[in-house]
Each structure stands twice: as structure tokens, then as C-alpha cells.
Amino acid sequence: MPSVFLSSPWKLNDFAPGEGLDAGAFQVSFDDNAWLPVDVPGGVHPALIAAGRIEDPFYDRNEEQCAWIEDREWWYRLTFDGPAEPLAAGERWRLIFHGLDTFVTIWLNGEKLGQHQNMFREAAFDVSDRLLPNQPNTLALCFDRPLAHTEGFEQFKTEWQWKHEPRVFMRKAQFSYGWDWGPRLPEVGIWRPVELRRESRAAIAGVHFYTLEIDRDQNRAVVAVWVEADRFAAQGALAASARLDREGASPVTATIPLHGEGESVSGTAYLTVEDAALWWTHDLGEPALYALQVTLAQGGVELDQHAQQVGIRTIELDQSPDPAEPGTRFFRFVLNGVPLFAKGADWIPADSFVGTIPSERYESLLSTACDAHMNMLRVWGGGIYEHDVFYDLCDRMGLLIWQDFMFACALYPEDEPEFVSEVEAEARYQVARLRSHPCMAVWCGNNENQWIFDQVFWQKQLAYIPGSLYYDEILPRACAELDGQIPYWPGSPYGGNDHNSMTDGDRHNWDVWHGASPRKFGEEPKVDYSAEGVSYRRYANDTARFVSEFGMHAAPVFETLRRNIPADQLYHHSPSMDHHNKDNPKNKGDRLMEGVTGVPKDLDEYIDFSMIAQAEGLKFGIEHFRRRKPHCSGTLFWQLNDCWPVLSWSVVDYYGFGKAGYFYAKRVYAPVLASFKALDDGSVELWITNDRLAALDDTVTIRLRAFDGQTFWQREEAVSLEPNSSACVVRLAAENLAAGPDRYLSVQSASGLFPANRHFFVPIMDLQRDALPVSVTIEAVDEHTLNVHISADKYAYFVNLSVPHEGTAFSDNYFDLEPSEQRTITVTNATIPLTPNMLAVKSR
Ligand code: BMA
């Protein structure tokens, strides 16, 4: 029913704790003229930046200057016109805060309305008796110092609390207290819209759309629409109806009888959809959507409406035994009956300040993910349940979502009843909110909590894992009761003998980069930060079922560093650069580069070498895991994006500049992959991995060439592959190979079915080749488009193009050119005109 969003003109001010109340900041008559303007939705930090009260917290070490914000209490005020129409009989006004961060007291017209203490669920109030029609109304909110609300919890600190961090006592984005890629800048404020809703007699309280059955032979699907209504002032029967629309198809409609005695009534309709257009991930088909409209009425009078995009699809998590690898079980997603290999990355909040992320940033990051052939992202448990726009876009773009509940890398209190009921209310709110999105693939209890606990207390082998109350009881119960369709998984990683197993469940491979080692329950965890310990070659030993985290750091592009690091600090390991590297120790990247490129001598080398180590590492790992399809059925690498400008595992930086790793991932995530596997005996295999649902026939050309252009031998092979499979198609015996540091193997598809690939016999730094500059001619196609013709006489490694403006798209980047090869790269920027002098082309 009619809604008003209270978005301006909100005011903001800070006080010492308790002083706002003493000053009467909640009173209508309070003078807030001198207060700062603040956006709603938004948060305190962006308002302070806009007002010049703080410097850009991301620049240099300014983060440290922001600590005082945590010690203040923050007040918001808004005076707004009351509704023109007073309420009629049977009507009510509801005030809904869709997101308050976090510990807050709310006053309306000087009277206390209530309190809230959970950023992850809405706060709703019936304000029928308090809202003044035709007059100004005043809202005041006081956000307490978050840490003030954690002190009382100290008594619950028990020996299992490995890392006693106050953040675990707050239902607030955990990363904001600092992470190994994120600054400590805990946000405060109204981070989602504030809605005033007029409702009459009854309102829709919940809708659940799900697919019961798909008959692909008949092109028919049966779907269910469950509706719950809150009959707050209506007597007698209520009627609901559902309508499913899709362009070009006749609407499918149903009436839904609602049952129940009290205020809450509900009912389900089952609809048969003929010529059903199914929702597929974008790589397997069309992500077809239907417009669902639910109407609630009584005696022909419409009372409420709910509209949402839905998709017809079934999703299962197949964990049946894998007959080809006895003693193991699959961990693979099955969409509409089709087992798929999940290709994607882990997603963290797209900004430290989660209330002010523009929709365009979501649009651009998610289409960047699709362009790289990703079909799944994991919303990681230390961030936020994302904004609606995120899930809507994933529905539209055909991207599956692995959704963690918001618990990460810690042990959470279970003895405080208020906290436990907050978690339960939050889980129920989020499950109801997200369950009808076709993009939703799995609910997951947390990030790494069972695994970390087991490692810390490996000697004790305690039977009870702290947090089980949540991961094994409350969360799965909320999912079962309110959804019951999307699979639930207790943690990431989870399953098997040590909760990070290669035989069961999902696995985080932190052997690479963090120097961890595979282990079993009861074994001491080992860490090895040597060059071998952190090396990406260790992926070759990983026989995981599904790898939901693995990755390596790389620097962002120079432009991102230039904007955030003072000129005199622009060198590897300068204090400001190290401040922008939140991992510890800060030299794991050096150890990794030691085995790949050698340690960098200057900033330019650091940027390139770290990007090379990351990109080659992702290529090596993803190729290995994809070859193992279906025994391995997914790779989500850590991490897609950043929340500020930082040296991190991301492949797309804070501004949206892609690192080399992004372009490498795009090639190795192609639907058909040809990759070389080097065996210990010196032989090399060529594998084709086919993620398409069609069989393939192709002719491949394999060559052994010297970097200076000489071709030693060349072979053409006819290859055929089953749909959705992976196989070794050619084996090159060591004695016929004539391997060497001055040469490389390459593979090409006659039909362009897969991107060309290559194999080096030694680490990049040991290649014997002349690194000559490439030849470049630039042709301006129009104001926003350049065609760049690049060629090389000898093998050119790591050819990369850069324009110091985000939003510049490259048809390819960070690629190699074979001797005498010529390529044309198209560079576009929709927002700014491009001129040839903005472009730099380099190679190594
Ligand atoms: C895992 C993640 C994150 C972390 C990443 C890199 O632990 O779940 O918590 O940022 O690895 O260390």
C-alpha cells in the first residue's frame, strides 16, 4: 500500500556518550540547525567526509585518524510533514527501518518508540497513535558506541574463545573492525531506507515462490506461491491471488485460500506453467524471469500488493558417493537436474561504508563477474547480507549465490539469551527475505568457524564445537521452516576429517599463500611461510570436492596506488604501502614471488610481479581443479572485489580496475578449456574440459616452439568430448617432447572453441628469452573506442594495456603474443573520451 520513503533532509551530530540525551536531542524543540546534512540511506563516515570533518579515510594512513568516531555517540534527526490524510477506521501506519547500524534508540515526536540492536534485520513500529497528520513530525535516533554494548558480555568469555574480540558480540558487519584485507572503520547509522507505510485492515507479511517440479519433456513446471497475511484489523475471510507474467506468454493466475484463526493467515497455490521458461545460469542458458504479483483483497477491495521477479528452477546439492574416487562424496550443485561446475569467486562488501554503495557499482562488478564466465559468487560471512539490488541483478544475470550467514573466523557466544534470539530473528528475517530469489544456491552457516576451532583446540578434540547452537540448530531450522528448498550447509569449509577435507564437503585451500597444510582431526596444524610453503604449485596436490576459497595477493594497478599513497611512499613495503596490506606477516607475497618471478626491485616490478604470481597461480589452480571435474565440482577463488584501495587477493580493485588475475581467470573460466598438465616423469598431458551441455568435436594444434620463433614440432589432433565432462586427449611422452627453458608448448582450437593456451617448462623467472618491446599502432575508432594493433617478433609475455580511468574495458588484457603474432585489442570507455596518449602498452 502507499509508502513514503523518509530520505531527506536528515541531520547528523555527535556527542560524548550520554550527552545527547542530557541535551535533549530527542525533543521536538531541540535546535539542530548547526547539525551536518547526512544521506539516508548512508552512514556517518561519508557524511563526515562530505562535510570536511575527516580526510579521505582510505588515503595514506588516514584510517588511524578516524578512531575517535568509534568513541562518540551519533544522533540522526529528521523533521518531515505528516500525512495529509488522517487514518480511517481499520488503517495503521507502520514505520519500517530496513537497516540500522547498530545499537540505537528511536524517538518519534519526543517519545521513545523503541530500540534495536541488529544491523541485519529490520526494525518496524506501529506508529498509528503517534504520527501527526498535517503537521511536522520529528524523528530522532541515537546510535550508541557499539563497543559499549559488548562490555557486559565479558563474563561469557570462556576458554574456547581463541580470539576474544568484541565484534563477535554484535550483530554488525564483522569486517568493519578490521580484516586481513580491510581497514578498521566500523560504520554507524541508517544504512538502508526508512519507509512509512499506510496499511488497511490486513497486509502481506510474507511470500514464498518455489519450484516443485519441472517436466523437461513436456516443457511444464509446477510452482508454488505461499502467502502469509497479517490480518491486524480485518474480520472475516481474506482472499489472495497470484499472477505470473512473462513477456510473450499468457499469464498464469491462481487464487490462494488463506487459512488461520488469529491475525496470521496463510495459504499456498500450486500453479502449472506450460511452456515454462527455466532459469539457468548465463553460461548454461537464459536466466528466464517471471514477474510475480500477489494481491491481497477482502470483499473485492484490494488491501495490499507484493511484486517480485522470480525464476523457475530447481537447485540441489549432490553429495552422493563418487564411485570413481572411492571413499569420497561429490559436492556439486545440480540446477534443473543438470550437475554443474561452479566457477566464480568470493564476494566481500563493495565498500567499507556499506550504506552508500551505488547500484552502478553492483551492476559493474556483477557484469564483470559474468564476463569472466563466472556462474557463482559466494557472499562471505564476515560482510553483510547484500542489498536487494545485488540479488535482483544476480537473478537477472544468471549468477548463482552461495550465501553465508554472517559469522566469520571466530567463536560466537551462545550463553546470552538476548544474543541468541537476535541471531534467530535475523536468520528468519533473511531467509524470508531471500528465499524466492532464483539465484540462491545454498545457505551456509558461517565462514571457517568449525575449521578454526578444530585447529586451535586440536589437542583437546572437544566433541562440542562452539557455535553449533547456530550452525546445527537455529540456522538450519530457520531455513527448513521458512524455505525448505535451497540446501543448507553448516559452514565453509565443512565436512570430512578436519572440516577442510579433500574427500567430503567444501575446502578452503590456504596451503598456498598462508602456508597451511592438509591435516586430520587430532593432528597439529603446521604453517610454512617458505617459498615452497606458499607456492601455488601446491594446488596440484589438492583433490578437493569443491574449493570455496583459494588465492594470492596482487597489487592493484599503479593508478589506484597513485591515488592513495603519497608520492614519497610509492615503493614496495613503504609504511603507507604496508598500511594498505592488512595481511600478516607482510612478506608472504615476497616468498610467493621468489618462486615465480623473483623478488621485485622497484614499484613497477612489484606491481607486475605480484600480478604475475597471482594470475599464474590462479591459472595453475583453476586448470587443475577444472581438469578434475566432476570429482571437483567448483572453484570460488578468494576474492573478486575490494572494499577500499588495498593490496589484496582481489582480481578487481576498489575502483573496478582489473588486475592481470581477472583476465587470466576469464580465460581459464571459458566454457571450454584446453590445459596442459605436467607429470612428474617429464611427460605432459593435454586436457579438454567441456562445461557445455553439448558434445564437442574439434581439431587442436599443439606446437613446441622456441621463444624466438622456431617451431620444433607441430601436431594436429582430432578430439571429441562428451557434454559436461573433462578428459585427457593427448599425452606427450617426455622423450618426444624436447622440453627446455627456451621454449613453450601451445595449443589452439581450429574452430575457436577454446582460448589458446600455453605451457612453460620452468618458472617465469627462469625462461630463456629476449624480452623485447611489442610494436603498437593505435587507431581511434570513435570518441570512446580505440583499436590497438599489437605485434611481436619474438614471444611477448604479459602484454598489458592501461588507461588511468576506471570503467575502461579491454577486449583482452594481460596476454602473451606468440612470435610474429598480431592482435587487435578494442579499448572502450563509455563515460570519458579516449585518446591514444591515455593508453600505455607494456610487456615483460
Ligand atoms: C579466509 C577468508 C577470509 C580471509 C581470507 C584471506 O580466511 O574466509 O576471512 O580474508 O581467507 O586470508
Side-chain angles (χ1 to χ4, degrees), residues 232-254:
F232 61 89
Q235 304 293 316
L238 287 173
S241 60
R243 182 188 161 106
L244 264 189
D245 277 294
R246 176 168 166 81
E247 223 184 282
S250 350
V252 188
T253 57

Side-chain angles (χ1 to χ4, degrees), residues 626-630 673-675 685-690 719-722 724-730:
R626 284 193 68 187
R627 279 193 295 267
R628 283 186 38 73
K629 172 185 177 139
L673 168 74
S675 65
E685 295 174 344
L686 175 68
W687 283 65
I688 309 271
T689 304
N690 178 18
V719 298
S720 349
L721 220 72
E722 297 288 304
N724 215 1
S725 69
S726 180
C728 170
V729 293
V730 176

Side-chain angles (χ1 to χ4, degrees), residues 179-181 378 380 409 447-448 508 510 514 549 638 649:
W179 214 265
D180 58 5
W181 38 259
R378 168 167 171 252
W380 165 80
C409 298
N447 175 76
E448 295 187 343
H508 291 186
W510 287 117
H514 285 314
E549 283 189 15
W638 187 266
W649 294 261

